[in-house]
């Protein structure tokens, strides 16, 4: 955030102290022009100590923030505020210092304490909007962004950030319009990344025509780029919307190179070959109530602490939930990285002596790819958080399984494939069993075939919805059970159904619920019907856990092979189809066959205690075997190579 600082007073009859202070200030200004912020900060501070001109103090705080010493900047701005409660710029600078410290809530609260009678300038509104946004207070951030835009309506970056807050309050269509405005105003080198986000937002709003047009433009622009080009784009939309794995790989590589070009690689640490335990570090911003934690927590609890020293490296918020507490208890060390820069996070990981660093975040919201680009660990691994390749030469292995990442698909990945013997996805057998309930408890109809599709709305393409409507026509009494993911989706899908001859009573929408209630409700469905080219992932394993059969279509990409892997591991390969027509026939047949559905439910209920999919202890043992094989190659001086699955000893 740019800031205009006041110049110090230089009266004609200045005192010797003022003259000395001004000389210090002039020297500091020269350092600032060269981005030598540490030297500039010292000079400004010395000027302020000589002569208490507020301009020197403000410049000192600004320079200390730039130099990475927001702690000193906070002391200076707070002292200035005590001396001059009406010094509005001190509040703004203090908010910048809080933001630099990773404390956006404190930044927002500081600005909100600006006396009501003082004017609010553009810098104030911009800082307040960004602070509220980073503090996840999006409902408050939106009016602050609008106030900032009222001072300058052609600020593309502010329109883009306003879109992010609309996105997070569930107003996906409004978010898309903000991003579209930002693109029209011009986002420079960030254009392709913003275009990727626009595609995603349009799909979240189920506005299929504009989404298709934007995706076509994005793919055309990226196809025109050379293979080795560093481009700020968004690999996630490609991973979930595009069914071409080589195109996904190209886009992922572009983004990985974009990340790496701004990063300084840390010194290589010698490999430990002594008898100490192998140090595994899991890096994410999702170690709280999140699907990633829900999946991996039991695996963490069963790591063999006699052989492995496990650290969770957390860059996310503490939501104070039972899941957060359980994650902290599941590991030997819980390292809080939130508030540090990516470079500082990497330095801390390097200092901890982590041997194998596992990125369980990937290129999703709050990505930590820049940390991985610093290469803080001798071996680096991608697993679980992102449905495809990282494209990064600085990530050595990708953990998959024989179905999601068969060795025949190795050319789709920049990493070497390390295959689990069962499924790549861990699960938690300690999670709640579904409490008995009736459909009417959840607002769903009784005594009809209830086809559940609790997919995030971006997965519901026009092709997928067309298929579901054909099923509804073929099974006249069936009802499609959907999730109310945002403010736009229900109206959009009801209108789409009407256009396809499906009455409003054939669609039932479910609100978001806490996990235990969600599982109880999910168990009331007859079938879970999958989407493509991005399957249900966590929700599919939840459906199988509560006894609901999943019908899926397998494809060429990781994202469209997950449900196939889950079904294979519960012995239901028959529900994995390879064409849309076969999928529709299977769904229709099962919707009309309650006896077969009952048999499948009984089979799944038995699998809770038999399948490797729900065996966290076995999963921990299997992944530990992969880590040991990776490390053995490394200490033998061998480059990473594909690791075929090794069946566990009976």
């Amino acid at each position: 955030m740019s800031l205009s600082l006041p110049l110090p007073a230089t009266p004609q009859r200045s005192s010797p102290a003022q003259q000395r202070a001004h000389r210090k200030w002039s020297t500091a200004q020269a350092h600032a022009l060269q981005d030598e912020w540490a030297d500039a900060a010292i000079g400004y501070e010395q000027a302020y100590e000589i002569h208490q001109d507020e301009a020197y103090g403000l410049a000192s705080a600004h320079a200390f923030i730039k130099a990475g010493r927001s702690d000193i900047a906070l002391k200076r701005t707070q002292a200035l505020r005590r001396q001059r409660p009406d010094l509005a710029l001190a509040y703004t600078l203090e908010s910048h210092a809080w933001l630099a410290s990773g404390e956006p809530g404190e930044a927002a609260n500081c600005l909100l304490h600006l006396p009501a009678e003082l004017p609010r300038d553009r810098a104030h509104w911009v800082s307040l909007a960004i602070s509220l946004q980073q503090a996840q207070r999006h409902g408050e951030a939106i009016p602050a962004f609008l106030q900032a835009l009222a001072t300058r309506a052609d600020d593309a970056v502010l329109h883009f950030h306003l879109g992010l807050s609309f996105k997070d309050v569930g107003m996906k269509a409004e978010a898309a319009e903000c991003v579209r405005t930002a693109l029209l105003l011009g986002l420079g080198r960030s254009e392709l990344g913003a275009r990727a986000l626009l595609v995603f937002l349009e799909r979240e709003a189920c506005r299929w025509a504009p989404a298709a047009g934007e995706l076509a433009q994005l793919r055309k622009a990226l196809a025109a780029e050379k293979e080795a080009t560093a481009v700020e784009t968004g690999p996630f939309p490609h991973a979930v919307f595009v069914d071409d794995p080589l195109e996904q790989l190209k886009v992922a590589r572009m983004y990985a190179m974009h990340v790496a070009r701004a990063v300084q690689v840390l010194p290589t640490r010698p490999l430990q070959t002594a008898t100490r335990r192998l140090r595994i570090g899991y890096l994410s911003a999702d170690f709280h109530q999140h699907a990633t934690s829900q999946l991996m927590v039991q695996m963490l609890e069963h790591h063999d602490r006699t052989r492995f020293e496990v650290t969770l490296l957390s860059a996310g918020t503490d939501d104070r939930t039972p899941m957060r507490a359980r994650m902290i208890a599941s590991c030997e060390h819980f390292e809080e990285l939130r508030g540090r820069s990516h470079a500082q996070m990497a330095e801390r990981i390097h200092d901890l002596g982590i041997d194998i660093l596992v990125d369980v975040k990937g290129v999703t919201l709050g990505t930590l790819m820049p940390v991985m680009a610093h290469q803080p660990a001798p071996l680096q691994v991608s697993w679980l958080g992102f449905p495809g390749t990282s494209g990064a030469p600085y990530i050595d292995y990708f953990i998959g399984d024989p179905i999601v990442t068969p060795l025949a698909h190795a050319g789709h990945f920049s990493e070497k494939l390390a295959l689990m013997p069962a499924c790549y996805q861990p699960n938690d057998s300690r999670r709640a069993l579904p409490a008995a309930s009736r459909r009417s408890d959840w607002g769903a109809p009784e005594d009809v075939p209830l086809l559940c599709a609790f997919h995030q709305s971006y997965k519901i393409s026009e092709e997928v919805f067309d298929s579901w409507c054909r099923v509804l026509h073929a099974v006249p009494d069936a009802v499609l059970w959907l999730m109310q993911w945002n403010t736009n989706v229900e109206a959009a899908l009801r209108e789409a159904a009407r256009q396809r001859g499906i009455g409003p009573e054939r669609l039932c929408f479910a609100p978001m619920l806490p996990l235990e209630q969600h599982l109880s409700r999910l168990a009331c469905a007859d079938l879970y019907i999958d989407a493509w080219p991005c399957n249900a992932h966590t929700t599919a394993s939840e459906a199988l856990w509560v006894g609901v059969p999943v019908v899926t279509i397998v494809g060429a990409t990781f994202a469209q092979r997950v449900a196939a892997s889950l079904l294979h591991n519960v012995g239901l390969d028959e529900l994995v189809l390879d064409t849309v027509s076969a999928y529709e026939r299977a769904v229709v047949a099962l919707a009309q066959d309650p006896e077969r559905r009952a048999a499948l439910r009984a089979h799944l209920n038995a699998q809770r205690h038999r399948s490797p999919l729900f065996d966290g202890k076995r999963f921990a043992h299997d992944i530990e075997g992969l880590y040991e094989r990776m490390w053995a190659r490394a200490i033998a001086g061998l480059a990473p190579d594909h690791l075929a699955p090794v069946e566990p000893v009976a």
Side-chain angles (χ1 to χ4, degrees):
M1 288 174 282
S2 61
L3 205 61
S4 177
L5 298 173
L7 295 175
T10 52
Q12 291 181 342
R13 295 180 180 275
S14 57
S15 68
Q18 286 176 294
Q19 291 173 5
R20 290 199 310 275
H22 197 75
R23 286 195 295 271
K24 290 287 187 182
W25 177 84
S26 298
T27 302
Q29 284 285 83
H31 285 301
L33 290 171
Q34 298 297 317
D35 287 335
E36 297 166 350
W37 290 105
D39 292 331
I42 292 170
Y44 290 134
E45 188 67 10
Q46 289 173 340
Y48 184 70
E49 289 171 357
I50 294 167
H51 183 68
Q52 303 288 298
D53 188 317
E54 290 156 356
Y56 297 141
L58 294 168
S60 167
H62 178 67
F64 274 120
I65 294 169
K66 290 285 193 178
R69 292 304 308 271
S70 54
D71 54 334
I72 301 176
L74 283 171
K75 292 177 182 177
R76 172 55 56 225
T77 54
Q78 289 167 352
L80 287 168
R81 283 177 55 197
R82 285 193 296 271
Q83 294 165 15
R84 281 275 310 278
D86 62 342
L87 188 59
L89 187 53
Y91 291 77
T92 303
L93 274 170
E94 183 177 330
S95 74
H96 288 197
W98 281 120
L99 285 171
S101 302
E103 297 289 347
E106 294 289 349
N109 291 337
C110 168
L111 291 165
L112 290 170
H113 280 90
L114 182 67
E117 67 274 10
L118 295 181
R120 271 79 170 150
D121 62 6
R122 173 179 172 75
H124 168 90
W125 289 116
V126 170
S127 190
L128 179 59
I130 295 296
S131 300
L132 290 166
Q133 183 175 72
Q134 291 187 12
Q136 306 301 311
R137 293 160 63 177
H138 296 284
E140 298 170 79
I142 288 169
F145 277 120
L146 293 173
Q147 289 280 5
L149 285 166
T151 67
R152 191 182 132 198
D154 64 346
D155 189 322
V157 173
L158 280 187
H159 280 285
F160 181 83
H161 277 280
L162 174 59
L164 296 180
S165 280
F166 273 127
K167 172 184 181 294
D168 280 0
V169 297
M171 301 172 70
K172 309 299 183 175
E174 293 80 357
E177 293 308 321
C178 289
V179 174
R180 185 171 282 108
T181 299
L183 285 164
L184 289 171
L185 291 169
L187 287 170
R189 296 176 64 87
S190 300
E191 178 182 339
L192 290 178
R195 288 201 175 281
L197 176 61
L198 178 56
V199 173
F200 192 77
L201 291 169
E202 294 287 22
R203 281 290 295 266
E204 283 195 299
C206 294
R207 301 202 305 186
W208 296 320
E214 294 291 348
L215 181 59
Q217 286 188 50
L218 177 64
R219 295 180 73 178
K220 183 178 179 180
L222 289 167
E225 297 283 356
K226 294 180 180 178
E227 285 283 344
T229 308
V231 176
E232 183 183 354
T233 186
F236 189 78
H238 262 74
V240 296
F241 298 148
V242 175
D243 59 3
D244 182 340
L246 294 180
E247 184 177 338
Q248 291 180 354
L249 174 60
K250 177 183 176 180
V251 173
R253 278 179 168 152
M254 288 175 170
Y255 179 79
M257 292 179 66
H258 160 73
V259 169
R261 68 181 176 184
V263 161
Q264 184 173 355
V265 175
L266 291 168
T268 302
R269 185 167 56 79
L271 303 183
Q272 71 86 12
T273 57
T275 56
R276 74 161 171 81
R277 293 175 298 162
L278 196 59
R279 292 174 180 165
I280 310 297
Y282 294 98
L283 175 67
S284 183
D286 299 326
F287 295 144
H288 44 248
Q289 189 62 50
H290 186 277
T292 296
S293 294
Q294 290 166 203
L295 291 173
M296 68 185 292
V297 63
Q298 190 179 31
M299 177 272 289
L300 292 170
E301 291 167 341
H302 282 92
H303 264 314
D304 183 349
R305 295 194 181 185
T306 67
R307 293 157 49 225
F308 298 90
E309 184 178 349
V310 176
T311 301
L312 294 192
L313 303 151
S314 175
T317 58
D318 180 358
D319 61 358
R320 304 184 184 279
T321 58
M323 178 57 71
R324 172 76 169 193
R326 189 176 166 195
M327 289 295 283
I328 292 172
S330 74
C331 62
E332 198 160 345
H333 310 290
F334 192 91
E335 187 74 19
E336 182 59 78
L337 300 178
R338 186 169 64 93
R340 305 189 193 196
S341 68
H342 288 140
Q344 290 168 335
M345 292 181 192
E347 288 167 3
R348 179 58 180 156
I349 294 167
H350 187 269
D351 291 344
L352 288 170
I354 299 297
D355 299 316
I356 300 178
L357 178 61
V358 186
D359 179 9
V360 287
K361 183 64 177 164
V363 191
T364 56
L365 183 64
T367 181
L368 298 167
M369 279 281 282
V371 178
M372 303 298 285
H374 283 282
Q375 300 180 46
L379 276 182
Q380 304 200 144
V381 177
S382 177
W383 172 58
L384 191 62
F386 185 76
T389 182
S390 68
Y394 41 86
I395 297 181
D396 302 294
Y397 289 99
F398 184 100
I399 295 178
D401 66 48
I403 293 177
V404 290
T405 56
L407 291 179
H409 289 188
H412 304 167
F413 294 81
S414 61
E415 310 90 345
K416 299 301 181 183
L417 297 179
L419 303 190
M420 295 285 287
C423 183
Y424 86 100
Q425 186 193 92
N427 274 275
D428 176 19
S429 64
R430 287 181 53 195
R431 66 186 148 189
L433 292 173
S437 67
R438 295 177 56 81
R439 293 177 181 180
S440 56
D441 297 334
W442 313 109
E446 305 278 3
D447 302 321
V448 299
L450 189 57
L451 309 180
C452 183
F454 284 175
H455 301 278
Q456 291 194 55
S457 55
Y458 71 81
K459 297 183 182 182
I460 305 174
S461 68
E462 187 169 18
E463 178 189 5
V464 167
F465 196 73
D466 283 341
S467 176
W468 292 347
C469 287
R470 287 193 293 269
V471 168
L472 292 177
H473 279 296
V475 189
D477 57 340
V479 169
L480 182 62
W481 207 9
L482 299 159
M483 189 68 81
Q484 204 168 29
W485 279 98
N486 58 63
T487 61
N488 308 107
V489 65
E490 182 172 351
L493 292 182
R494 287 198 185 281
E495 174 59 20
R498 186 194 66 76
Q499 293 174 6
R500 289 157 177 78
I502 300 296
E505 73 283 359
R506 307 290 302 282
L507 270 59
C508 180
F509 285 86
M512 302 290 288
L513 288 176
L515 179 61
E516 291 191 12
Q517 295 176 49
H518 161 70
L519 293 175
S520 180
R521 177 178 62 185
L522 181 57
C524 294
D526 287 312
L527 286 176
Y528 193 96
I529 55 175
D530 209 359
W532 64 90
C534 184
N535 296 161
H537 295 175
T538 304
T539 312
S541 55
E542 289 171 345
L544 298 175
W545 172 253
V546 301
V548 176
V550 177
V551 183
T552 192
I553 302 178
V554 69
T557 64
F558 180 101
Q560 199 178 339
R561 302 181 70 83
V562 171
S565 178
L566 300 172
L567 286 162
H568 175 76
N569 279 278
V570 293
L572 289 179
D573 294 286
E574 67 199 78
L575 301 184
V576 179
L577 293 311
D578 57 7
T579 66
V580 174
S581 58
Y583 162 90
E584 290 175 11
R585 287 194 299 270
V587 173
V588 170
L590 284 168
Q592 296 174 330
D593 190 345
E595 291 185 3
R596 178 61 181 147
R597 295 198 309 268
L600 290 171
R601 187 179 289 268
H603 171 84
L604 287 172
N605 289 341
Q607 288 296 306
R608 287 194 196 118
H609 310 290
R610 300 175 185 169
S611 171
L613 184 63
F614 303 125
D615 188 342
K617 185 176 182 179
R618 170 180 165 168
F619 192 99
H621 178 270
D622 290 343
I623 202 168
E624 287 168 354
L626 280 182
Y627 294 150
E628 288 177 324
R629 292 166 67 194
M630 294 173 190
W631 195 247
R633 290 190 62 85
I635 62 176
L638 300 174
D641 201 359
H642 302 300
L643 301 178
V646 174
E647 292 298 327
V649 177

